[in-house]
Amino acid sequence: MGMAFPFSAIVGQDEMKLALLLAAIDARIGGVMVFGDRGTGKSTAVRALAALLPPMPAALAGFHPEGAPPPDRKATVPVPFVDLPLGATEDRVVGALDFERALGAGVKAFEPGLLARANGGFLYIDEINLLEDHIVDLLLDVAASGENVVEREGLSVRHPARFVLVGSGNPEEGELRPQLLDRFGLSVEVRTPQDLAARIEILKRCDAFERTPAEFAETWRAAEKKTLRRLARARAGLAHVTVPDAILARAARLCMAVGADGLRGELTLMRAARALAALDGEAVVGPAQLARVAPLALRHRLRRGVLDETGSTVRIERALDELAAA
């Protein structure tokens, strides 16, 4: 695999970069759903973040068969990034049990799948709305439980599969089921930049990266280190960030005001605001953090009002303004 484009060098797409950072700070936020046009750097951003993160203990990444010697405690590996192809079969995704070989050799003959490879890292699914429903449900179940179980003919294998699930979809190519959307922690909307200067800058950076990737990466090394330090501090400080009751009340009132379904939105809103406070180096969550993550945590959970044609983001921002004025 070639060198990844530096995360800090991605032009614009601030909302997507923020959502990915928050999901990397606190895995319990859940996955990230990215809506938007083709060719807007969605997979580039996820791959870039995986490459930016420090190497992780080999024992916590990938798949380790039962009975095999454990990896050296000091051994590290890059954070896994797995791109799930659209035509992937269930066996390719979850892994396959070879029943005949198991009978013949008397061992559990398990061929690990993409979920095993993604353990400890990121699993990226482009055009998730075109995947078969049962495979999507399976992915979401594994992402939520952190464990993959494969069963066939009375044989069963289970292995850790903890990863940040990032799905992307273009709403014009098929709707996503609301119950599927609700399972994603955050959602972002990515658009092709309409600003001429931004488009020129994107072309320049892409061209420089393609021609001299090592030199380009060196130019961005200081910015990458700074992002990595912020991320490391946020992960370390997350457990010490407090959420005052007033902020919890505001979060609950906001969810009620916009008609967000279920309590998952409120939990995600709280976790994302706490992760953002940690990223900002704050010890207490304030209204500013709540307001910044509210569209990410709630826009995909709103019931569509027949008479309300305003976009989800506008509805959330309007409700935030009303709460602030109250």
Side-chain angles (χ1 to χ4, degrees), residues 7 17-26 48-54 79 122 223-238 275-276 278-281:
F7 188 74
K17 289 188 284 192
L18 177 64
L20 292 173
L21 285 171
L22 297 179
I25 290 164
D26 185 358
L49 181 59
L52 169 72
L53 294 171
V79 171
F122 293 82
E224 291 284 82
K225 276 189 165 171
K226 189 177 172 185
T227 304
L228 192 52
R229 276 198 302 273
R230 275 186 78 202
L231 197 55
R233 275 202 302 268
R235 282 173 156 182
L238 182 69
L276 179 57
L279 191 63
D280 290 342

Side-chain angles (χ1 to χ4, degrees), residues 123-163:
L123 180 65
Y124 178 75
I125 308 161
D126 199 12
E127 301 193 48
I128 195 169
N129 42 338
L130 303 184
L131 262 190
E132 289 179 44
D133 282 355
H134 77 279
I135 290 191
V136 176
D137 289 334
L138 199 145
L139 286 167
L140 287 160
D141 286 343
V142 173
S145 68
E147 188 174 63
N148 180 35
V149 181
V150 186
E151 292 178 307
R152 184 169 171 240
E153 314 271 357
L155 282 179
S156 98
V157 168
R158 59 180 60 226
H159 67 80
R162 294 183 186 89
F163 49 80

